[in-house]
Structures are given as C-alpha cells and as structure tokens.
Amino acid sequence: MSELLILEGEPMVGRILVHKLRREGYEVTWLRTAGGGTPPTDVALVEVDLGGDSRAWMADGAAPRVGWFAICDHDDEAGAQRAVRAGAAGVIRKPFKPTVVATQIRTLLEVAT
C-alpha cells in the first residue's frame, strides 16, 4: 500500500482528497502545515499557497520516495512554475476532480515501478 502525504490548509480540499484517496486504497496523512517535519511518504500533494511552509518544504529536500504534486489555484501560474522548478511531478489546479488526482497519483506510481 502506497503512503501519501497531503499538505493542504483548506479543510474542505483536505477532506475531499483524504476521502477519495483512502477509497482508492492509499494510506493517507493530511497535515495543514509543513512545520515540525513531515513523515516519510511515497507521494505528496503540496499546496503552494501555504506560503513559507510549502516553499521551505519544496527547498528542504523533504521529497517523497516517488514524487510530489503541487496544488495551486487555477490562476496561480507563478506558484505552479515555482513548484515545477523545485521538482514537482505535476500541478493540480483548484478546482479539481478527485478522480483525476487519483489517476495522476496512480500513473506516477506505475511509472516509478
């Protein structure tokens, strides 16, 4: 079972992702901030709007074993580009469809094996 980490400050977004990804069979940890270190994980979803928390996480080398995706608002092109430069496997733009997010994660995990 793959382990996923969600760093997302918006409660509704976090709950939607946790619900969908657990139904897909993943073990999911959801944190609202990146402070205090993050647990080891296979794939992470990181909200770029967490400000200093997400920028520190992206620069800190806290990368998961397989890869990570940035979560950003649909019009946050600068945040999306910053995340890709920092090593994100892709960008999830809000609003999103949970099934599409699950497919992106599944594809990343399949490519890695």
Side-chain angles (χ1 to χ4, degrees):
M1 178 185 310
S2 295
E3 297 175 4
L4 306 181
L5 172 65
I6 300 169
L7 291 174
E8 170 61 55
E10 292 183 42
M12 183 58 72
V13 173
R15 284 193 293 271
I16 289 168
L17 288 169
V18 167
H19 176 75
K20 174 61 178 171
L21 297 172
R22 284 186 177 153
R23 289 188 64 195
E24 293 288 323
Y26 298 111
E27 186 174 315
V28 181
T29 300
W30 172 31
L31 301 174
R32 292 184 183 191
T33 66
T38 56
T41 189
D42 296 312
V43 176
L45 307 175
V46 181
E47 178 188 14
V48 299
D49 287 344
L50 285 175
D53 286 342
S54 65
R55 285 190 291 276
W57 185 91
M58 289 185 282
D60 195 21
R65 292 180 280 270
V66 177
W68 62 283
F69 293 94
I71 302 172
C72 65
D73 291 330
H74 71 279
D75 60 351
D76 185 4
E77 191 58 37
Q81 290 179 9
R82 185 174 60 246
V84 170
R85 283 192 305 272
V91 177
I92 297 165
R93 295 190 182 264
K94 297 176 192 174
F96 56 82
K97 294 186 181 209
T99 54
V100 173
V101 174
T103 299
Q104 289 176 286
I105 293 168
R106 188 177 324 106
T107 300
L108 179 63
L109 289 166
E110 288 173 358
V111 169
T113 56

